Amino acid sequence: MVSKKIILGITGSIAAYKAAYLIRALIKKGAEVQVVMTEAAKEFIMPLTLSTLSGKPVISEFFQPRDGTWNSHVDLGLWADAMVIAPASASTIGKMANGIADNILITTYLSCKAPVFIAPAMDMDMYAHPSTQQNLERLHSFGNHIIEPTEGELASHLVGRGRMQEPDVIVSVLENFFATRNDLLNKKIMITAGPTYEKIDPVRFIGNYSSGKMGFALAEACAQRGATVRLITGPVSLTTVHPAIRRIDVESAGEMYLAAMKAFPEMDIAILSAAVADYRPQQETASKMRRQDSKRWWLQLVENRDIAEALGKTKQPHQLLVGFALETDQGIEQANDKLVRKNLDMIVLNTLADEGAGFRHDTNKVTLIDSEGHIEAFPLKDKIEVAEDIVNKLKTLII
């Protein structure tokens, strides 16, 4: 935590008093803290207290009323190593989830390039309400880190879940986060993601249901841990966030093959999460095939080049190659066979037999198998968390 720059966002909650303890704890660890607070937060704790503890003027408005000095939320977002919102009220969580930028805390959040940690604090019924839970799930899907509240006596004197996590626990979460952030520093990682489209004619194609979410989550996870990422993606509607990700868009399996073969020699690691079509039409017609031209179509398919197999043949001793296997039955056997045949160092197995896993889900359930025969199965998780599990396992294989 030494020399880390932390934005501490404080919102209108009775738990705002804990922010004073959190500032002290962060500064004792060597961090630099800039407080940004909402107007409602001032009703619970004085800016003077926070300014005295942090050693910096508190920011709560877009400009200083006395001299018109502008408080740039953009500069703040670029300055920080992390942003922590503690306490995070239901109102602020809702605004963050929906981009309602009506105060400097929210605009700072929307401009922040650094990881964001959110520590909710509210009455138990507010926390349990479907709208709050949906907003938290949405924020988590954006890549934010949710520091779950604890159970205990609340301001309403009811007992339940909604108490903001204690400052020492929040500091521990940050310390653990920063401890792993640079474990892939200077590593070059290529990731394939999404489906491929194999054209039949100008308006039709052979494809699959891959959304690309798993590959994009892996790209963000690797970049956040210090790697430079080359993301080769098929046609998806997703966007990248981290500046260390260089995206290459392709459409067909042939285009992905060429891009992967070109990039791989420079890479330390390749993670092949794309759902690449095994076959393509032997012939693509130049004009649209019309129903009235024929009552029956015969579509002849030819095999696409196997990206994983080709990379496995060219892999150097210092390189790691990770494949994916989506199966419907005999998952372990099929994945092990693919691991050996394609000279992989690890394979990520998921199966359509598991509800919530595979294509078009925000969740996945994976089993990781390495070339030494170690097998580790994980429960159903959000794909952002699955990406972290995969990267954690991958880190143990790096020589």
Side-chain angles (χ1 to χ4, degrees):
M1 292 285 287
V2 176
S3 301
K4 295 298 182 184
K5 299 178 176 65
I6 310 296
I7 298 171
L8 177 58
I10 305 173
T11 73
S13 165
I14 188 63
Y17 77 90
K18 291 185 179 180
Y21 297 96
L22 181 54
I23 293 170
R24 287 293 299 272
L26 288 169
I27 288 177
K28 281 185 177 181
K29 294 291 184 178
E32 186 177 350
V33 181
Q34 174 62 65
V35 174
V36 178
M37 66 191 308
T38 65
E39 286 297 316
K42 294 179 182 179
E43 301 295 327
F44 295 92
I45 188 167
M46 292 287 291
L48 179 60
T49 301
L50 304 172
S51 176
T52 302
L53 292 171
S54 67
K56 291 179 178 291
V58 169
I59 296 174
S60 61
E61 299 171 292
F62 290 103
F63 61 90
Q64 299 295 340
R66 291 181 180 177
D67 60 9
T69 302
W70 178 252
N71 294 318
S72 173
H73 56 277
V74 175
D75 290 344
L76 276 173
L78 293 172
W79 170 82
D81 294 303
M83 182 175 187
V84 182
I85 302 172
S89 65
S91 175
T92 292
I93 288 169
K95 291 178 181 180
M96 291 169 65
N98 293 282
I100 301 173
D102 64 351
N103 61 56
I104 195 165
L105 191 153
I106 303 298
T107 56
T108 300
Y109 161 72
L110 293 173
S111 299
C112 192
K113 299 294 185 184
V116 178
F117 297 80
I118 302 165
M122 64 198 74
D123 193 73
M124 62 183 187
D125 292 322
M126 294 176 67
Y127 179 71
H129 195 279
S131 63
T132 303
Q133 291 300 309
Q134 186 177 49
N135 286 332
L136 286 170
E137 288 174 11
R138 190 174 192 191
L139 288 171
H140 186 256
S141 74
F142 295 161
N144 297 298
H145 304 264
I146 310 301
I147 303 175
E148 296 290 344
T150 63
E151 292 189 7
E153 185 175 359
L154 306 170
S156 61
H157 302 299
L158 297 174
V159 177
R161 183 173 295 278
R163 286 173 60 93
M164 187 183 99
Q165 190 57 263
E166 294 304 317
D168 288 344
V169 174
I170 295 174
V171 172
S172 294
V173 169
L174 290 171
E175 284 186 309
N176 291 336
F177 174 82
F178 284 121
T180 62
R181 281 311 85 185
N182 291 320
D183 55 3
L184 292 177
L185 191 64
N186 299 322
K187 294 296 181 183
K188 296 179 180 179
I189 301 179
M190 179 184 81
I191 298 173
T192 65
T196 63
Y197 289 174
E198 312 302 320
K199 287 185 177 179
I200 299 171
D201 64 17
V203 298
R204 301 178 180 90
F205 61 86
I206 297 172
N208 58 57
Y209 295 119
S210 174
S211 65
K213 291 177 180 178
M214 191 70 257
F216 275 64
L218 281 163
E220 295 292 344
C222 290
Q224 286 176 6
R225 294 170 76 153
T228 300
V229 178
R230 189 82 55 88
L231 177 63
I232 304 172
T233 177
V236 297
S237 59
L238 304 174
T239 57
T240 57
V241 176
H242 202 285
I245 300 172
R246 178 188 169 193
R247 175 173 174 169
I248 301 172
D249 288 281
V250 298
E251 184 174 271
S252 68
E255 291 173 352
M256 186 171 284
Y257 175 92
L258 292 175
M261 293 299 291
K262 181 179 180 181
F264 186 57
E266 302 175 10
M267 297 294 128
D268 300 297
I269 301 166
I271 305 174
L272 309 179
S273 67
V276 184
D278 294 325
Y279 299 92
R280 70 183 186 278
Q282 185 177 38
Q283 184 175 1
E284 176 191 342
T285 62
S287 57
K288 178 181 176 181
M289 299 172 67
R290 300 182 183 279
R291 179 182 296 182
Q292 60 266 32
D293 294 339
S294 176
K295 296 298 182 183
R296 182 175 295 178
W297 286 358
W298 296 101
L299 192 62
Q300 190 165 0
L301 304 178
V302 294
E303 190 175 12
N304 281 320
R305 288 178 289 187
D306 191 316
I307 297 173
E309 184 177 69
L311 295 180
K313 289 178 180 178
T314 64
K315 185 181 69 171
Q316 299 301 305
H318 71 280
Q319 294 178 306
L320 291 176
L321 187 58
V322 179
F324 271 66
L326 178 61
E327 304 294 342
T328 57
D329 56 81
Q330 298 181 316
I332 297 293
E333 293 83 356
Q334 295 291 341
N336 268 316
D337 176 67
K338 186 174 182 179
L339 180 79
V340 174
R341 281 191 296 107
K342 302 189 179 183
N343 194 24
L344 305 176
D345 297 285
M346 185 173 82
I347 193 162
V348 182
L349 167 66
N350 51 180
T351 171
L352 293 179
D354 292 321
E355 186 176 352
F359 295 150
R360 297 195 295 186
H361 293 290
D362 291 328
T363 54
N364 206 357
K365 183 179 180 181
V366 302
T367 299
L368 306 183
I369 307 171
D370 65 28
S371 57
E372 299 295 323
H374 301 123
I375 301 175
E376 188 173 5
F378 293 85
L380 187 72
K381 296 184 179 183
D382 187 282
K383 285 182 176 177
I384 294 172
E385 295 174 308
V386 175
E388 290 291 343
D389 290 335
I390 293 170
V391 175
N392 288 337
K393 174 63 177 179
L394 180 62
K395 186 65 177 64
T396 68
L397 304 179
I398 296 174
I399 300 173

